[in-house]
């Protein structure tokens, strides 16, 4: 897959072929790298790039990584880390509740949980928190959303069968409304959650997609059907799944759920945005794909597969995540510089060219930052794939810098509908 030739099997002059070409991490990386080269050559309207600041960014990531994981035994960057918030071993409770199921059954339940939780994981805003009854701890932002969605799942919010609460199914999602989600997430006038309606819309659309594909998600429309679709039906411990195959299935099956109206003809593109400077063949010209939530979800499905005895390979086919913590790391360390500092004072939409380019430069620069981090830590890519660099890592360093400089706020204000950031 490349910008100049996407392969003989795809007719990029037709909407279906062009959409398929854009649903690959090869396309994500190549178009991100194109915009990075352009910015380095001074052609960007929005950003300058200071390569001399990359070592500073790497040092920030290394310091945070050593503080968080002194033994360098770094897990994947995934939703499961947020389920550990506050030092609570919530997975032990889940394991106990799922103990009667076989390994595939446990994996299906974990996939169900991860899918809805990731789709609910977009910027919560600075004024929302979730107070966990059992621990008494308050949680905000991603950790709060993770803990809230965990308890909503355990309480059966996403299941239509009261006798089977620990599942997500199409009917349960289609019956969801803003009041139910607001109650589960403790939302109210004094505890506002950014993008509540967008999150509900996304989950209801997920329910529609699950119901429409019984061959993929089973007769009840469970996200956990992905396990059976991609794994040896015998459940053999020798089963192997490629990480990009998980992502491809998500993008193929769920491309219609995203509220963003980005499309080629009738083919929905989801987290894929126009940028006038991007070349490409056929109908792919001008489009920059990211698939951030789908990739975040793929990272979050690695552990359910692996815990069921499935070997997941090709992790570094996935890209870094183009969200405001990773992007903020690059702005706050000076790797990226805004052409006009006054742009920090206004709000931006996800489709604005500045935001599209910021996200693309983030993807490309994370690929360059990762080997610098590994070199400083004395590890190689096999020991520390990109999924672990992110966790160690770039996301946490971006958050720490934001906390030091702006009380946790991102460097740019992007209006969220709950589906991109």
């Amino acid at each position: 897959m490349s910008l100049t030739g996407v392969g003989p099997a795809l007719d990029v002059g037709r909407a279906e072929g062009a959409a398929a070409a854009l649903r690959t991490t090869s396309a994500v990386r190549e178009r991100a790298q194109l915009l990075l080269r352009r910015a380095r050559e001074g052609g960007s309207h929005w950003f300058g790039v200071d390569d001399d600041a990359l070592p500073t960014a790497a040092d920030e990531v290394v310091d945070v990584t050593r503080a968080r994981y002194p033994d360098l035994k770094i897990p994947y960057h995934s939703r499961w880390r947020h389920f550990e918030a506050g030092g609570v071993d919530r997975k032990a409770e889940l394991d106990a509740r799922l103990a009667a199921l076989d390994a595939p059954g446990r994996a299906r339940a974990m996939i169900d949980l991860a899918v809805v939780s990731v789709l609910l994981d977009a910027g919560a805003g600075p004024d929302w928190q979730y107070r966990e009854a059992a621990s008494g701890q308050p949680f905000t932002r991603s950790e709060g959303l993770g803990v809230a969605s965990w308890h909503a799942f355990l309480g059966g919010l996403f299941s239509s069968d009261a006798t089977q609460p620990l599942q997500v199914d199409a009917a349960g999602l289609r019956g969801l409304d803003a009041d139910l989600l607001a109650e589960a997430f403790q939302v109210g006038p004094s505890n506002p959650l950014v993008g509540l309606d967008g999150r509900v819309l996304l989950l209801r659309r997920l329910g529609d997609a699950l119901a429409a594909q019984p061959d993929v998600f089973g007769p009840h429309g469970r996200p956990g059907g992905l396990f059976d679709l991609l794994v040896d039906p015998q459940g053999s411990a020798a089963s192997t799944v490629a990480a990009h195959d998980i992502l491809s299935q998500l993008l193929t099956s769920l491309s219609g759920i995203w509220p963003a109206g980005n499309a080629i003809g009738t083919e929905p593109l989801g987290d894929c945005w126009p940028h006038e400077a991007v070349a490409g063949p056929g109908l792919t010209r001008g489009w920059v794909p990211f698939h951030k939530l789908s990739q975040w979800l793929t990272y979050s499905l690695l552990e359910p597969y692996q815990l069921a005895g499935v070997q997941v390979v090709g992790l570094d086919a996935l890209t870094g995540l183009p969200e405001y913590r990773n992007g903020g790391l690059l702005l706050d360390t000076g790797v990226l510089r805004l052409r006009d500092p006054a742009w920090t004072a206004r709000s931006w939409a996800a489709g604005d060219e500045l935001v599209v380019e910021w996200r693309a430069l983030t993807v490309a620069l994370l690929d360059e930052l990762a080997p610098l981090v590994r070199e400083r830590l004395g590890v190689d890519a096999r020991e520390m794939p990109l999924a672990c660099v992110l966790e160690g890592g770039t996301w946490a360093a971006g958050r720490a810098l934001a906390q030091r400089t702006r009380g946790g706020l991102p460097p740019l204000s992007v209006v969220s509908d709950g589906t991109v950031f």
Side-chain angles (χ1 to χ4, degrees):
M1 184 76 58
S2 71
L3 289 169
T4 56
V6 294
L10 296 176
D11 180 359
V12 294
R14 298 172 62 87
E16 184 175 344
L22 292 168
R23 291 176 189 146
T24 67
T25 54
S26 296
V28 175
R29 278 196 164 93
E30 288 165 5
R31 297 182 181 218
Q33 289 164 358
L34 181 151
L35 288 174
L36 178 58
R37 288 194 299 271
R38 175 175 172 268
R40 279 180 166 143
E41 293 165 359
S44 170
H45 301 308
W46 309 106
F47 295 97
V49 181
D50 182 0
D51 288 322
D52 291 338
L54 270 170
T56 301
D59 290 340
E60 289 281 351
V61 176
V62 167
D63 288 346
V64 169
T65 300
R66 288 196 182 280
R68 299 181 74 222
Y69 299 103
D71 58 3
L72 297 185
K73 294 180 180 178
I74 306 168
Y76 300 138
H77 187 57
S78 87
R79 195 57 164 153
W80 295 92
R81 306 291 76 75
H82 295 147
F83 296 150
E84 300 162 356
V88 178
D89 186 5
R90 296 179 185 85
K91 188 174 178 299
E93 180 184 357
L94 181 65
D95 289 343
R97 294 201 189 189
L98 299 176
L101 301 179
D102 59 12
R106 292 192 295 273
R108 293 183 199 105
M110 291 175 70
I111 291 171
D112 281 354
L113 167 59
V115 168
V116 290
S117 186
V118 166
L119 294 186
L120 288 165
D121 184 31
D127 301 319
W128 175 83
Q129 70 169 8
Y130 178 84
R131 184 171 292 277
E132 186 177 36
S135 69
Q137 297 184 69
F139 299 100
T140 62
R141 300 190 181 273
S142 287
E143 287 86 354
L145 293 167
V147 174
S149 59
W150 175 278
H151 288 291
F153 174 79
L154 263 61
L157 179 65
F158 311 111
S159 173
S160 64
D161 185 349
T163 68
Q164 300 290 335
L166 300 184
Q167 68 178 35
V168 176
D169 59 58
L173 293 172
R174 294 165 101 178
L176 196 65
D177 61 30
D179 289 340
L180 287 170
L181 191 65
E183 181 181 3
F185 279 58
Q186 302 174 355
V187 175
S190 62
N191 193 34
L193 175 64
V194 170
L196 177 67
D197 290 338
R199 295 169 208 268
V200 173
L201 175 61
L202 189 59
L203 291 185
R204 289 177 66 92
R205 289 191 176 199
L206 173 64
D208 291 341
L210 297 173
Q213 301 174 81
D215 56 325
V216 176
F217 298 108
H220 301 294
R222 288 185 59 186
L226 289 169
F227 182 83
D228 304 277
L229 191 68
L230 295 175
V231 170
D232 178 343
Q234 301 303 314
S236 168
S239 293
T240 300
V241 171
H244 200 287
D245 287 346
I246 300 174
L247 175 64
S248 295
Q249 188 60 58
L250 290 171
L251 292 175
T252 300
S253 302
L254 304 181
S255 61
I257 73 174
W258 306 109
N262 300 327
I264 297 176
T266 59
E267 287 291 323
L269 300 179
D271 188 14
C272 183
W273 304 86
H275 192 300
E276 64 176 9
V278 172
L283 297 176
T284 71
R285 177 178 296 275
W287 288 103
V288 184
F290 298 111
H291 310 305
K292 179 258 179 179
L293 273 179
S294 296
Q295 292 206 71
W296 175 229
L297 177 52
T298 302
Y299 280 124
S300 301
L301 295 185
L302 301 179
E303 285 155 276
Y305 278 96
Q306 290 178 333
L307 289 171
V310 178
Q311 181 183 10
V312 183
V313 298
L315 301 187
D316 278 352
L318 305 177
T319 76
L321 300 179
E323 43 74 46
Y324 65 84
R325 292 307 186 198
N326 288 325
L329 166 70
L330 298 168
L331 278 172
D332 285 338
T333 54
V335 178
L336 295 178
R337 298 187 314 275
L338 289 169
R339 293 289 188 194
D340 184 349
W343 291 335
T344 60
R346 58 161 287 187
S347 294
W348 301 86
D352 287 341
E353 191 174 274
L354 177 144
V355 176
V356 175
E357 189 164 320
W358 181 33
R359 299 180 74 203
L361 299 180
T362 297
V363 169
L365 286 165
L366 285 172
D367 276 344
E368 298 187 7
L369 193 60
L372 298 179
V373 171
R374 294 185 191 111
E375 180 183 8
R376 284 160 169 74
L377 292 173
V379 298
D380 61 27
R382 290 171 298 177
E383 299 170 279
M384 193 175 178
L386 184 58
C388 298
V389 176
L390 297 174
E391 173 58 24
T394 59
W395 189 90
R399 172 184 269 187
L401 283 165
Q403 189 63 46
R404 293 206 305 256
T405 56
R406 291 175 303 278
L409 295 176
L412 289 170
S413 176
V414 180
V415 178
S416 172
D417 67 354
T419 63
V420 174
F421 284 110

